[in-house]
Amino acid sequence: MSSCDSSEAVRLYSNSSEIFNGGIFAKMPDGVLRPGGLALTERLVDACAFSLGAQVVDLGCGTGITVEYLRSMRGLDAVGVDLADALLAQGRSRFSELPLIRADGEKLPFGDRSLDGVLAECSLSVTRDIGKVLNEIQRVLLPGGKLALTDIYIQDSDCASRVSQPGACCDCITGVMTRGQFIKVLKDAGFSVILWEDHSALLKEFVASFIMRYGSPDELWQCISVGKKAGIKAANLGYCLLVAEKCRRG
């Protein structure tokens, strides 16, 4: 990645992080700023069936709340990775020994075939080049390692072509895809999808909770919308839980 590309990636990621982790979002239940909160993370980790002490990375860890949960409640050797310095600093101020690393998803600071799992909760959809990130995740995972994610996806396939048009997407959700596109890019990167669950009801609950708490979805809409130019509405968006396994020949 060139220095120009790197700066742009930081800008895009910082924009999304600032909105997802702004002052009002910090007041959301359990401090986890995504649909389903830690309850859905628990479901995700259960589905992966990691062994005690498994080495796992939380990609887009923010302030490290999930990393803390994985280490203290699930007995995993978890490390958090994020590009947002301010969020990492918040996490370290809360728990100085929490292993949080500033790094780009396109260049992870881990050796080949060194990890049992990578969690990516609400982080792939803010990735500028999902293919590069998936290839990097594939590199660091052991054969049979798990990529576990929860994220927004497009339920209406007719909308997908509009999202790819120049200027259609907002900075916060450049990588939103349909279910079919998700599965294809994962297959192309050497993964086999072993679990897909739709949790769109949790996205609706998250939005409803936000509206009840703050009276307006305007700021939230900046993150879960791909913009009027694309003709995408909130009703076109769903929320999924997905577990993929790195092909054992890889």
Side-chain angles (χ1 to χ4, degrees), residues 12-109:
L12 292 177
Y13 197 94
S14 296
N15 284 352
S16 61
S17 296
E18 286 171 5
I19 296 174
F20 273 111
N21 297 279
I24 53 178
F25 284 89
K27 302 175 185 177
M28 295 300 286
D30 76 17
V32 179
L33 313 173
R34 57 179 180 266
L38 285 178
L40 195 58
T41 300
E42 180 178 14
R43 166 62 190 150
L44 190 64
V45 175
D46 285 344
C48 292
F50 292 121
S51 300
L52 193 67
Q55 294 185 304
V56 176
V57 166
D58 181 21
L59 185 62
C61 66
T63 61
I65 292 175
T66 297
V67 175
E68 189 173 351
Y69 163 77
L70 295 174
R71 294 178 69 87
S72 64
M73 303 299 294
R74 303 308 299 259
L76 301 177
D77 185 2
V79 176
V81 168
D82 206 298
L83 271 175
D85 289 315
L87 301 183
L88 295 173
Q90 288 179 40
R92 295 186 188 110
S93 67
R94 188 183 71 254
F95 182 18
S96 61
E97 297 182 0
L98 203 60
L100 304 178
I101 301 171
R102 187 186 188 280
D104 191 335
E106 296 182 12
K107 193 174 182 180
L108 294 171

Side-chain angles (χ1 to χ4, degrees), residues 13 22 48 54-56 64 70 74 94-95 115-116 127 133 157 170 182 186 190 198 234-235 244:
Y13 197 94
C48 292
Q55 294 185 304
V56 176
L70 295 174
R74 303 308 299 259
R94 188 183 71 254
F95 182 18
L115 301 176
D116 298 293
T127 299
V133 174
S157 59
C170 70
F182 249 132
L186 286 165
D198 181 82

Side-chain angles (χ1 to χ4, degrees), residues 216-235:
S216 170
D218 291 345
E219 188 171 0
L220 179 61
W221 179 247
Q222 294 178 53
C223 291
I224 65 169
S225 166
V226 290
K228 294 182 179 179
K229 291 181 181 179
I232 307 298
K233 299 179 181 180

Side-chain angles (χ1 to χ4, degrees), residues 40-229:
L40 195 58
T41 300
E42 180 178 14
R43 166 62 190 150
L44 190 64
V45 175
D46 285 344
C48 292
F50 292 121
S51 300
L52 193 67
Q55 294 185 304
V56 176
V57 166
D58 181 21
L59 185 62
C61 66
T63 61
I65 292 175
T66 297
V67 175
E68 189 173 351
Y69 163 77
L70 295 174
R71 294 178 69 87
S72 64
M73 303 299 294
R74 303 308 299 259
L76 301 177
D77 185 2
V79 176
V81 168
D82 206 298
L83 271 175
D85 289 315
L87 301 183
L88 295 173
Q90 288 179 40
R92 295 186 188 110
S93 67
R94 188 183 71 254
F95 182 18
S96 61
E97 297 182 0
L98 203 60
L100 304 178
I101 301 171
R102 187 186 188 280
D104 191 335
E106 296 182 12
K107 193 174 182 180
L108 294 171
F110 307 103
D112 296 354
R113 303 185 180 193
S114 61
L115 301 176
D116 298 293
V118 173
L119 271 65
E121 297 182 276
C122 279
S123 58
L124 284 187
S125 61
V126 302
T127 299
R128 209 165 54 123
D129 191 328
I130 288 179
K132 288 184 179 180
V133 174
L134 289 178
N135 287 337
E136 185 67 352
I137 292 172
Q138 206 269 356
R139 178 187 68 80
V140 300
L141 282 177
L142 289 160
K146 302 296 194 302
L147 167 59
L149 65 89
T150 57
D151 218 325
I152 292 168
Y153 76 103
I154 302 174
Q155 293 179 305
D156 183 355
S157 59
D158 291 338
C159 297
S161 61
R162 296 198 294 273
V163 175
S164 63
Q165 296 174 1
C169 295
C170 70
D171 286 346
C172 298
I173 190 166
T174 56
V176 67
M177 296 179 287
T178 65
R179 175 176 178 172
Q181 289 169 331
F182 249 132
I183 293 173
K184 183 180 185 303
V185 297
L186 286 165
K187 182 179 179 181
D188 290 345
F191 291 94
S192 175
V193 175
I194 59 177
L195 178 66
W196 172 287
E197 294 179 354
D198 181 82
H199 288 276
S200 299
L202 293 177
L203 178 60
K204 294 178 181 178
E205 291 174 9
F206 185 74
V207 175
S209 174
F210 188 91
I211 293 172
M212 290 182 65
R213 189 177 291 260
Y214 303 110
S216 170
D218 291 345
E219 188 171 0
L220 179 61
W221 179 247
Q222 294 178 53
C223 291
I224 65 169
S225 166
V226 290
K228 294 182 179 179
K229 291 181 181 179

